[in-house]
Amino acid sequence: MQGAADSYINPVGLALRFKNYIQNGEFSTGIEHIEPKDGFEKMIELAGEMLYEAGPALKAFKAGKTATTTAINKYEQQQFSQAYKKVYNELLEKAPGDAEEIMATVHKLFGKNTHIQRGAAAYTADGKLITQGRKLRKATEGKVERNYGLTKAIGTHNMSKADIKALPDILRKYKPVEITDRGQYIYEILGENGKTRKIVTSLREINGKLRRVVVSDYWVDDIKTPIRELLK
């Protein structure tokens, strides 16, 4: 405990050392006493001691942060995978749930978390799935102007469970290639298949609270049979 109190990374210990420096003209490191020198050299010496003592703590912090991030990614990937499975089964059973419901979240230490919603879905008279466009607007009596979330990712872009499961790692690891005037974050990632994946997040008001959500997610120039054609 004493070692932690004496450390430069302890704000109380640091304050006491500066008080001692002002009163007695010396700065205790907990390892040795430094006789202060005048002007700039004094500040350089103090900074060097701080880095020397903080080094192991910073290394441990970095290792801990990496382990924590890995654990969070694993947990969130499970959540996204389960969300995909749930929504996919709902579409198969023709029983979509609340479009606004947040199904999974990428948690951020700084900035807003990024969520993915269920999204809206409807069906034609002959049972075909509708997840975007004017047909969806008409089927929902104008309640859905634009559709976001898992129903669109699955129904329109035929994204796989593996694609959706990878979202937490992607959104945490990569930076947007563009931030638009409207506050949209645009990500472009080259996949192992050699194709580009485009992900767009945007701020939307959900239940009276402004949240960042995934509004688009698809493989560029990837020709797939839309899942809506497979769910007849």
Side-chain angles (χ1 to χ4, degrees):
M1 293 298 290
Q2 184 61 40
D6 287 341
S7 172
Y8 279 112
I9 62 173
N10 182 287
V12 176
L14 185 59
L16 291 174
R17 284 190 176 80
F18 272 111
K19 181 180 179 182
N20 182 56
Y21 171 76
I22 293 169
Q23 292 177 344
N24 304 319
E26 62 181 14
F27 196 91
S28 173
T29 66
I31 302 173
E32 61 181 350
H33 292 280
I34 300 175
E35 291 299 329
K37 300 177 182 178
D38 293 332
F40 184 71
E41 289 185 4
K42 181 193 303 177
M43 298 306 298
I44 292 296
E45 190 160 355
L46 295 178
E49 288 296 327
M50 291 177 72
L51 288 174
Y52 173 82
E53 194 168 302
L58 291 173
K59 186 180 292 186
F61 173 78
K62 185 176 180 181
K65 181 181 177 184
T66 300
T68 301
T69 300
T70 300
I72 292 173
N73 266 339
K74 185 175 181 179
Y75 168 77
E76 291 177 349
Q77 285 172 347
Q78 290 175 345
Q79 300 301 305
F80 274 75
S81 181
Q82 290 172 5
Y84 179 97
K85 184 177 180 180
K86 180 176 177 61
V87 174
Y88 187 90
N89 287 336
E90 289 173 351
L91 296 178
L92 282 176
E93 295 165 3
K94 294 182 173 58
D98 177 15
E100 295 287 283
E101 183 181 352
I102 292 172
M103 303 300 293
T105 300
V106 179
H107 298 86
K108 296 287 185 70
L109 182 61
F110 302 104
K112 287 185 175 293
N113 296 336
T114 303
H115 311 276
I116 193 163
Q117 299 169 269
R118 174 183 276 105
Y123 296 85
T124 62
D126 58 353
K128 290 183 180 180
L129 175 66
I130 309 170
T131 55
Q132 69 171 357
R134 287 179 293 179
K135 289 183 178 179
L136 181 61
R137 190 180 308 121
K138 183 177 180 180
T140 59
E141 299 179 343
K143 294 178 181 178
V144 178
E145 288 292 328
R146 293 184 178 180
N147 192 29
Y148 310 111
L150 285 167
T151 59
K152 183 177 178 181
I154 297 170
T156 302
H157 300 302
N158 198 9
M159 300 299 281
S160 69
K161 184 168 72 171
D163 291 334
I164 299 303
K165 183 179 179 180
L167 272 172
D169 192 48
I170 291 173
L171 294 178
R172 187 169 282 113
K173 183 182 296 183
Y174 296 95
K175 293 183 179 180
V177 296
E178 180 184 355
I179 299 177
T180 70
D181 294 338
R182 293 186 295 167
Q184 289 187 327
Y185 291 1
I186 301 175
Y187 301 81
E188 290 185 355
I189 299 95
L190 185 63
E192 293 180 357
N193 57 7
K195 297 177 181 178
T196 300
R197 182 175 179 176
K198 188 170 185 177
I199 302 167
V200 182
T201 71
S202 186
L203 293 174
R204 291 193 65 226
E205 186 174 319
I206 303 174
N207 298 324
K209 187 174 181 179
L210 200 62
R211 301 177 185 269
R212 181 163 294 280
V213 299
V214 177
V215 296
S216 189
D217 184 8
Y218 60 95
W219 290 99
V220 178
D221 298 326
D222 192 14
I223 301 174
K224 290 182 178 179
T225 302
I227 201 76
R228 60 177 178 270
E229 298 298 326
L230 303 177
L231 295 180
K232 293 180 180 178

